[in-house]
Amino acid sequence: MRSILILLCGFLFSVYAQGQTGNADNEISAQDKILLQEFWKDFTDAVTRNDKAKL
């Protein structure tokens, strides 16, 4: 029973570790990063000023 649990934990850990490897398809381009930063800046400004029209 204990060996089955150890094997199961090892298998789950290996699946988890494999899923954490970097994927080049998920990277954000520099232009998208700039657009995202501008969006968040405008969004936080609108929230702090309670500007419902801008939201």
Side-chain angles (χ1 to χ4, degrees):
M1 181 71 177
R2 183 177 174 164
S3 62
I4 292 173
L5 288 175
I6 291 172
L7 287 173
L8 182 61
C9 287
F11 173 73
L12 291 176
F13 179 75
S14 66
V15 169
Y16 171 77
Q18 183 65 27
Q20 297 299 315
T21 57
N23 189 352
D25 294 338
N26 291 336
E27 292 183 12
I28 299 174
S29 69
Q31 183 181 8
D32 288 340
K33 285 181 184 180
I34 292 169
L35 290 173
L36 188 60
Q37 287 175 349
E38 290 175 1
F39 166 77
W40 278 114
K41 181 180 167 284
D42 293 341
F43 180 75
T44 54
D45 287 344
V47 169
T48 56
R49 294 182 183 168
N50 201 15
D51 186 359
K52 293 180 182 178
K54 203 170 187 182
L55 286 173

